Amino acid sequence: INASQFFTKYSGIFFLTIFLFFIVIYSQRKTQWFRHRSSSLLMKIPVFGEMIRKIYLARFCHSMNLLIGAQTPLINAIDLVKKMVGFYPIESSLAVIQNDILKGESLFQSMAKFKIYNSRMLSLIKVAEEVNQLDVIFQKLAKQYNEEVEHQTSLISSLIEPIMIILLGLLVAVILIAMYL
């Protein structure tokens, strides 16, 4: 009853605050600092952060596979992928990687400077550069990341179902107890 009275009394301020919050987010969503902060916050979410990283790495690998498989030069492929990925940590790293490759570094060495790319991916890219099979490795990496995301998604959904049932049961129990009291 107290919560209902509080919400009734301050509902206008509550909805105005939420409205202003969304306006600020909408107006700032394309700025550099906001993209950096929001992506770093997304990456810090315990289970979902790693899953988000794998989703964007799978997208990156799939795009690189298609472009390199179509005989697009590596610099042009990186430039196109930078525009397609849409995730700030990968976009910002690709700009640096592109400049490093123009200066003569290998793709592996340049990617190793960034935390978003894991060591397994870097090792495979190093081998792929040595044997000139980048498109094949990017295809396998994209497939592997997609499978890992599907597995994590199924695990999360199987864990959420019982929790939701318990929470709904508790909500119904609270309502019934409140009615009887």
Side-chain angles (χ1 to χ4, degrees):
I1 293 172
N2 289 337
S4 175
Q5 290 173 349
F6 177 81
F7 186 72
T8 304
K9 189 175 181 181
Y10 297 108
S11 63
I13 296 171
F14 176 73
F15 286 120
L16 181 64
T17 304
I18 289 176
F19 181 70
L20 290 175
F21 178 73
F22 282 114
I23 286 176
V24 168
I25 286 177
Y26 184 77
S27 65
Q28 296 295 314
R29 75 184 191 283
K30 294 197 180 203
T31 60
Q32 196 83 2
W33 72 269
F34 183 81
R35 293 182 70 213
H36 176 69
R37 292 286 180 216
S38 63
S39 62
S40 65
L41 283 175
L42 277 175
M43 298 290 285
K44 290 179 183 176
I45 298 173
V47 174
F48 296 101
E50 183 64 22
M51 194 164 73
I52 290 169
R53 185 180 75 81
K54 286 180 183 178
I55 289 170
Y56 283 107
L57 283 177
R59 191 178 294 175
F60 164 73
C61 291
H62 183 70
S63 300
M64 287 296 286
N65 169 44
L66 291 175
L67 290 169
I68 292 174
Q71 303 300 320
T72 306
L74 186 60
I75 298 294
N76 295 343
I78 290 173
D79 190 42
L80 290 170
V81 170
K82 182 173 54 176
K83 295 174 185 173
M84 290 189 299
V85 169
F87 189 53
Y88 181 77
I90 295 178
E91 284 179 18
S92 61
S93 70
L94 288 178
V96 174
I97 289 169
Q98 191 175 19
N99 288 333
D100 288 347
I101 290 174
L102 285 172
K103 292 176 184 174
E105 276 189 49
S106 67
L107 180 62
F108 156 75
Q109 291 171 335
S110 186
M111 288 176 79
K113 297 175 185 175
F114 300 97
K115 293 179 183 178
I116 190 130
Y117 307 110
N118 60 13
S119 60
R120 180 188 63 192
M121 178 182 189
L122 294 173
S123 299
L124 289 172
I125 289 175
K126 179 181 180 182
V127 171
E129 280 184 311
E130 291 172 0
V131 296
N132 199 20
Q133 294 289 318
L134 275 174
D135 57 339
V136 175
I137 293 299
F138 278 124
Q139 179 183 16
K140 290 183 181 183
L141 283 169
K143 182 180 176 186
Q144 190 173 23
Y145 282 128
N146 283 329
E147 288 173 357
E148 288 177 13
V149 167
E150 287 177 17
H151 178 68
Q152 283 183 333
T153 306
S154 65
L155 281 177
I156 290 171
S157 66
S158 66
L159 288 174
I160 288 178
E161 286 177 22
I163 293 171
M164 292 288 287
I165 291 171
I166 291 170
L167 289 177
L168 285 174
L170 288 174
L171 180 67
V172 170
V174 167
I175 291 172
L176 283 174
I177 291 171
M179 288 176 60
Y180 282 124
L181 292 176

